[in-house]
Amino acid sequence: MKIFRFVIITILLYMCVSIFMNSSEITNSVIFSFDIWKKNIFPSLFPFFVISNILINYGFVDILSKIFKPITKLLKVSENSSFVIVMGLLSGCPSSSKYVKELVDKKIISKSEASKVLTFTHFSNPLFVINTIGYSFLGNIKIGFIVLIVHYISNFIVGLLFRNYKIETTKNNITNNYNNNLGKIITDSINSGINTLLLILGTVSFFLIVTTIINNSLSINSFLSSIISGIFEMTQGLKYVSLLNVSLKIKAILSVMFISFGGISIHVQTFSIINESNIKYSPFLIARILHSIIAGILMFIIL
């Protein structure tokens, strides 16, 4: 334990020195992270965070559960989990972790079911994939659509792989969770949404700083630098991949693998959100590794 603490302190001190030595590059990384948050993350997630909380309080989970019963039955989860699937598809990661936490806190689904649902509801925002990755980064909107479809299909395959993961079901009556105090619901939803988004901003900024320091400290080529960046922070890795002098096929494979894994930044955000409700994290980690591998193989086959 003392050795681990010494290593952490040494790394942090090295980071402090590196920040002073490379202040301009670190500043640019923080500005880049804020731009991502301001232009992509906040506009796409904040409305869904607020609306989803209101919908949960007004029983929308009960309505969706009846519509998506065949899908939830196939994946062997309760009908109430359909809310996470639908809202996750619309808003993108790491929103599913927030949705499962809200359902667990209201005792609509169990903690073990929340862990299972997280394995196959890791969706990147569709507009981000098509516009940012397809159009802006890869310069090919058709490839953006293919990346999105492969990302979704491989996620569904992961759900099938985890369908026999045993869970506890809850018998709680959803109607008991209705809350008609709209003013308080909206205020609480806004506060909760902003707190989560600030956590995301801080995490993205921190890991962009980490990748900048790693790239400045190691003498590595641009390809390896892109891989390291993508493992730590997805968006920066996607940006670096788009600048590589490689074929569009390789760029597409790396891009779909990055968004399917999510990056350590997304994993930290997810862990921070679900840890408050004691939801198990390890199935999510295993699922993202499988998701990334399956997506990469599917993209290779398709292209």
Side-chain angles (χ1 to χ4, degrees):
M1 190 65 183
K2 289 183 179 179
I3 296 175
F4 177 75
R5 189 165 57 183
F6 174 77
V7 171
I8 294 297
I9 291 173
T10 302
I11 292 172
L12 291 174
L13 289 175
Y14 178 76
M15 287 179 63
C16 289
V17 174
S18 298
I19 290 171
F20 281 114
M21 297 292 290
N22 305 282
S23 58
S24 60
E25 290 186 48
I26 297 298
T27 301
N28 289 334
S29 294
V30 175
I31 292 172
F32 177 64
S33 67
F34 185 76
D35 283 340
I36 293 170
W37 185 81
K38 179 179 69 175
K39 295 177 182 178
N40 295 301
I41 298 174
F42 189 92
S44 62
L45 292 185
F46 179 70
F48 285 103
F49 281 172
V50 175
I51 293 170
S52 67
N53 205 319
I54 297 172
L55 288 172
I56 290 172
N57 279 281
Y58 275 87
F60 188 61
V61 176
D62 193 25
I63 297 172
L64 282 181
S65 67
K66 293 177 174 61
I67 299 173
F68 290 90
K69 185 176 180 179
I71 296 175
T72 54
K73 187 176 181 180
L74 177 63
L75 298 174
K76 293 185 177 181
V77 292
S78 73
E79 298 168 12
N80 299 332
S81 302
S82 58
F83 180 83
V84 183
I85 298 172
V86 174
M87 296 303 294
L89 275 168
L90 293 173
S91 55
C93 59
S95 60
S96 57
S97 57
K98 181 170 174 57
Y99 301 144
V100 296
K101 178 187 179 297
E102 290 169 353
L103 294 183
V104 167
D105 290 346
K106 291 186 175 296
K107 295 180 170 44
I108 295 175
I109 63 174
S110 66
K111 294 175 185 178
S112 59
E113 182 174 2
S115 296
K116 182 175 181 177
V117 172
L118 278 176
T119 63
F120 60 86
T121 54
H122 172 78
F123 303 108
S124 284
N125 185 278
L127 292 178
F128 172 77
V129 176
I130 295 169
N131 293 332
T132 305
I133 298 177
Y135 180 75
S136 300
F137 287 167
L138 301 181
N140 190 319
I141 200 163
K142 180 181 176 183
I143 291 292
F145 276 103
I146 295 173
V147 168
L148 182 65
I149 293 168
V150 169
H151 174 61
Y152 283 172
I153 292 173
S154 53
N155 211 0
F156 181 71
I157 293 172
V158 170
L160 293 176
L161 292 175
F162 276 84
R163 69 191 300 266
N164 291 320
Y165 180 83
K166 292 184 178 180
I167 61 172
E168 296 177 5
T169 57
T170 177
K171 300 296 183 181
N172 189 49
N173 188 351
I174 300 176
T175 55
N176 291 336
N177 295 291
Y178 289 178
N179 188 336
N180 294 317
N181 189 343
L182 183 59
K184 187 175 187 308
I185 291 172
I186 292 175
T187 303
D188 291 345
S189 300
I190 291 172
N191 286 332
S192 176
I194 289 176
N195 287 336
T196 303
L197 285 163
L198 287 175
L199 168 67
I200 293 172
L201 171 62
T203 308
V204 170
S205 299
F206 175 77
F207 280 99
L208 280 174
I209 292 171
V210 170
T211 55
T212 301
I213 292 172
I214 291 174
N215 291 331
N216 287 337
S217 302
L218 302 175
S219 298
I220 53 178
N221 58 45
S222 57
F223 185 84
L224 188 56
S225 175
S226 300
I227 299 297
I228 293 173
S229 298
I231 290 172
F232 276 93
E233 211 296 306
M234 177 185 71
T235 310
Q236 189 177 47
L238 291 168
K239 179 186 176 184
Y240 286 169
V241 163
S242 70
L243 301 174
L244 291 175
N245 186 25
V246 295
S247 67
L248 184 61
K249 179 178 181 178
I250 294 175
K251 290 181 180 180
I253 291 171
L254 290 174
S255 295
V256 78
M257 291 183 74
F258 284 167
I259 65 172
S260 297
F261 177 68
I264 295 175
S265 173
I266 292 290
H267 285 256
V268 170
Q269 294 166 34
T270 300
F271 180 80
S272 299
I273 294 169
I274 65 176
N275 189 51
E276 297 176 15
S277 300
N278 295 317
I279 300 169
K280 199 173 180 181
Y281 162 75
S282 56
F284 176 80
L285 173 61
I286 297 169
R288 296 291 64 76
I289 295 172
L290 290 172
H291 190 182
S292 180
I293 295 170
I294 295 169
I297 293 171
L298 282 178
M299 182 61 76
F300 176 79
I301 294 170
I302 290 172
L303 297 181

